[in-house]
Each structure stands twice: as structure tokens, then as C-alpha cells.
Amino acid sequence: MKLERQVYLLNPKELSPETIAVTFAKTSRSPQSFRQIAAELTDEQSAQFHEKWVVGYGHASVAEHAVLHIAIENVSRLAIETIESNRLASYTEKSTRYQKWNPEAFYLPPELEGHALQEFYIRAVRGLFEAYEQSIPKVKAVVEREEPLLPGESQSAWERRVRSQTTDVCRFLLPAASLANVGVTANARVLEHAIQKMLSHPLSEVRALGAEVKQVAQAEVPTLLKYADHVPYIEQCAQALENAAGAASPVSPTTDSPAWCRLVAFAPQAEERVLAAALFRYGNQGFAAALEAVRRAGREERERLADIILGSLGPHDIPLRELEHASFSFELIVDQGAYFEIKRHRMMTQTPQALTADLGYAVPRRFPAAGLDEIYCDAMNAAQHTYEALAGLDAHLASYVVPNGFNRRLLMTLNLREAYQFCALRSAPNAHFSVRRVALCMAEQIRSATPTLAQFLRLPKELNWQEIEDEYFART
Ligand SMILES: Cc1cc2nc3c(=O)[nH]c(=O)nc-3n(C[C@H](O)[C@H](O)[C@H](O)COP(=O)(O)OP(=O)(O)OC[C@H]3O[C@@H](n4cnc5c(N)ncnc54)[C@H](O)[C@@H]3O)c2cc1C
């Protein structure tokens, strides 16, 4: 009997996410087609299957076939950090670049209810929004002056460019309490961990959000999220480490690289390992032999190999996975607005410190250019004082008042494949200037560490991070 190849979709309008997950899971033991398996399943049978195999025996990957789309609205940007800390989910959030933010839409933590600091908090947040509102027309006038219509550019395209360059500057004033919307697509396995993290979080907003996400998601996948609960380990570990870590240290002095962007670790043989891995993949020798061949090869031969691997990539091509054998750790101190964008890169490991007002704030050049120096700094200083007062009560709570312009420390480990994607995307002219500065500075150091491979990083020609800093910042 000739078996025809079959490719088809399981329709989520006809089958629940749990039934789809069981349909796929059953192919492991059943000779039937997916259609036949699905036709014989009821939601109750699917639940029983999950109880036994996924929940009971830990065959957890089955839950990855149950996918949900969760709409989350009016949550603080601080809470969004926890939602988006899950690598295997997908997100789209309200942008600080492409829309103006509502000054009334900010989170008031219930922890402050009835407390003397509540009024102080509201005043600081309102002050930031007032400065934001006042800044928009004045910064816009500067942008219009500095960014004339380009040859061939339509009036509407120019207006869009002016609008986004204006909000790019004014967003430095937006506090972490600002309310945003985010769309999340996640499978039940990642969602379970996401909910666990939310339910174990020190902020009551995040815990309440975790409970709501659990309730909404459980209506669709009742069995798979049964044990999405508070995890004492997460909470206890965070508390014990906060105590062990002690107080924040000041910014370290500059060595060769700028103090705000330092390559703190990379393996010196990283380049050899990538080239050897590529030979290993397409050859039949052992890794030690491939490495030896690369070591014996002259510079020209290595460059030829690097050119094969990266030289002919088209603009949308993804480089070979073997680039992942080279990795880099960076310590960054970047404004919160930049961090908020960087955190969206999932193919790397990020360890951010808490959002504080301890590391100073950046001043985009267009604030003083618009005569707004005092308005900006007054609002930022008021936020800092409020942060300090709130931190005496609860350091986690205090983060809500911190605006995008304050600096934050972050440890980031990424491989060369992700560096290739990150540096290209985030150094491009349409990226925000804060992140362009980061991407260009990281690229410079990656190039010094792995010159043969990193010469192929896709970067804007003849532009360095210092030029971005000089053009866009009065102070960082
Ligand atoms: C100009 C600009 C405007 C933006 N505007 C917005 C906005 O308004 N709102 C908003 O929410 N975000 C916005 N973003 C963020 C953007 O949507 C991405 O989330 C962010 O740039 C991270 O990119 P990435 O997913 O490619 O990176 P990473 O998560 O680091 O992934 C690296 C690569 O791995 C692959 N990959 C990773 N995860 C998946 C997956 N789940 N499925 C398939 N492939 C995957 C892809 O090839 C990806 O390029 C904007 C980004 C840019 C550059």
C-alpha cells in the first residue's frame, strides 16, 4: 500500500488546545493518523490523558502543543518585565516610540494605600507626566528644525519621522508605573512557569496579575495549569540573595572599554571553536581533529572559512547555528528605556539588577536644545527623591516611580549568532538611539575579540557609538 504524504492543520476552532496537545502526544504510541486520533478524543479524555502523562509522569513537553493568546491590558511597565522574562513566549507591547502616553494611566500600588508616602508618589509620577506633556511640542519643534524633509520624502513620512523622534526623546520621562498593554502568545508549559514566577513575585500587582492569567488560561487548559502555583524556592532564593549581595556599588572606573559597556568574559579560542564546529558539521572527523585543522590553518585559510560561513548571507538570512559556539558576556549600564528594548531579545541570557535611581540618569541632547533642561531635571530629581523615600519602605515598590531615563545595570551573555542579529537590528537607523549606542559599542568589542568572524557583523558604515552618544546625549 502506497502511503500518501499528508500535511494539514488541526483546527483550533474545532479542537480545544488540550485536545490538540493530546492528539500530537498520542502519535508516540498510536499508529492512527492525527485526524483519527482527534476524532476519537473528547475534552474529558484529553484531560485524563494530561493528568496521567503530563502532570503525573512528567511528560511535560506535551503541554507545548497547547498554545494560548492572552491579551493583557493596563498593567505597569514594571509588571510587564516579569511577564516578558519568559524566553519561549512571544510578545507585542505598547510602544513608547510610536504613540503618546496617557498622563492619567499610571499604577498606584495598593501597598501605598493610606500611607503618608502615597501623596509623595502621586506627585512625583504626575510631575513626570506633566514634564512629558510639556516636552512634546517643544522637542517636536527642535526635531522639525533639525530634521528637514529629505529629497523624495512625502510630507506624511516626514511627519511620522518627526513624531517618533520626538517621542524617542520624551519617553525618558515615563515612569515604570505607566500602564501598558501587551499581547502574549505562550504554550501551556511556558505559561505554567510564567505564572509560578508571577505568583512568587514581591510586588502585589504582579502576584494579582499571575492569579488572573492563571484563571483565564485555566478556562482553556484546565489540566495543564493545575500546578501553576506560588513557588517558595523562587521567593526564598531572591530574599536570601538580596541579603547576601549587600548594597549597590558605584560605577567601576574605565579600563580600555567604556565603563557602561564592558566585555567581561569571552573564551579566547571562540573563533577557532566556531570554525572547527562548522568543519565538524559538514565533515566526518572528530572535534579535536577539526580544531587542530583550524589551528594549523593560516590566516588566509581561516578568513576563507569565515567568508564561506558569513560572507554570502542575504539581508534576511540567518547564519549557521555553529556561531553559537562563541559566546560573550557584557556588563552594561544603560537607561531603562534601552533595557526595556534589550530585554525583548530572548536568545541570550540576561541578568538585570533591580530598577533603581542609584546610577544616575541620562539627558538626551534635545531636552536642553528645547530649553527644557530645568523641567526635565526637576522632574527626574523629584522622582529620585521619591524613589529614595519609598526605598526605605520597600525597594521593590520604589521602582515604580523610576523613569526610563535612569540607568540600570545588566549582565548579558550572548553567542555570536545572536550578536549578529542583535547588532544588525539594534544599530540600524530606525532603532532608538539609546540602543544603537549599545549595539555599536558591543559590536566594537566583539570585533576586537573575534576579528575574523565579526568583520561580517551587519553594521551601518562608518558609524561608531561615540558619534551616536555625541549626537543624541547631553549626558549619559
Ligand atoms: C524598529 C523596531 C520597532 C519595534 N517596535 C516594537 C513595538 O512597537 N512593540 C513591540 O512589542 N516590539 C517592538 N519591537 C521589538 C521586536 O518586535 C522584537 O521583539 C525585538 O526586536 C527582539 O527581536 P527578535 O525577536 O528578533 O530577537 P530574539 O528574541 O533575540 O531572537 C533572535 C532570533 O531568534 C529567532 N527567534 C527567537 N524567538 C523566536 C520565536 N518564538 N519564534 C521564531 N523565531 C524566534 C528569530 O530568528 C530572532 O530574530 C521593535 C523592534 C524594532 C527593531
Side-chain angles (χ1 to χ4, degrees), residues 439-467:
L440 287 166
C441 194
M442 284 173 56
E444 191 174 274
Q445 294 175 63
I446 291 171
R447 276 183 152 172
S448 311
T450 51
T452 314
L453 288 165
Q455 64 176 304
F456 293 98
L457 289 178
R458 279 183 294 212
L459 303 168
K461 282 203 171 40
E462 290 165 29
L463 179 70
N464 64 46
W465 64 268
Q466 191 68 60
E467 287 167 79

Side-chain angles (χ1 to χ4, degrees), residues 84 87-99 181-183 185 318 324 340-348 350 417-418 421-422 424-426 428-432:
E84 292 184 352
R87 176 175 307 166
L88 296 176
S90 306
Y91 315 96
T92 297
E93 72 198 27
K94 172 174 174 158
S95 174
T96 51
R97 305 189 66 199
Y98 308 122
Q99 56 180 309
N181 298 347
V182 56
T185 299
I318 297 172
E324 293 181 7
F340 216 79
E341 296 190 10
I342 291 170
K343 78 172 175 1
R344 294 292 302 282
H345 290 271
R346 295 155 293 179
M347 295 291 159
M348 57 173 83
Q350 297 186 7
R417 194 172 183 222
E418 173 72 337
Q421 138 81 358
F422 177 84
L425 191 73
R426 296 303 189 176
N430 66 348
H432 188 280

Side-chain angles (χ1 to χ4, degrees), residues 251-317:
V251 178
S252 348
T254 309
T255 50
D256 315 356
S257 50
W260 64 271
C261 175
R262 286 189 299 142
L263 179 58
V264 289
F266 92 101
Q269 307 85 6
E271 208 155 64
E272 291 174 354
R273 283 164 53 84
V274 170
L275 298 177
L279 293 178
F280 178 90
R281 175 172 172 179
Y282 292 99
N284 59 7
Q285 56 190 343
F287 186 67
L291 201 54
E292 193 47 37
V294 169
R295 283 188 180 144
R296 276 203 313 267
R299 195 170 141 210
E300 234 172 76
E301 177 58 9
R302 287 178 188 215
E303 297 217 327
R304 196 181 71 82
L305 283 175
D307 189 55
I308 294 171
I309 296 170
L310 289 165
S312 56
L313 279 169
H316 303 294
D317 294 341

Side-chain angles (χ1 to χ4, degrees), residues 402-419:
V402 180
N404 270 331
F406 273 87
N407 289 321
R408 187 162 187 183
R409 216 191 242 120
L410 165 73
L411 186 65
M412 172 204 275
T413 297
L414 76 171
N415 61 54
L416 189 53
R417 194 172 183 222
E418 173 72 337

Side-chain angles (χ1 to χ4, degrees), residues 170-200:
C170 299
R171 82 171 196 184
F172 280 69
L173 285 156
L174 291 174
S178 309
L179 296 180
N181 298 347
V182 56
V184 181
T185 299
N187 66 57
R189 188 182 196 181
V190 71
L191 203 53
E192 183 181 59
H193 186 49
I195 294 168
Q196 287 172 344
K197 282 197 274 185
M198 285 192 270
L199 294 179
S200 314

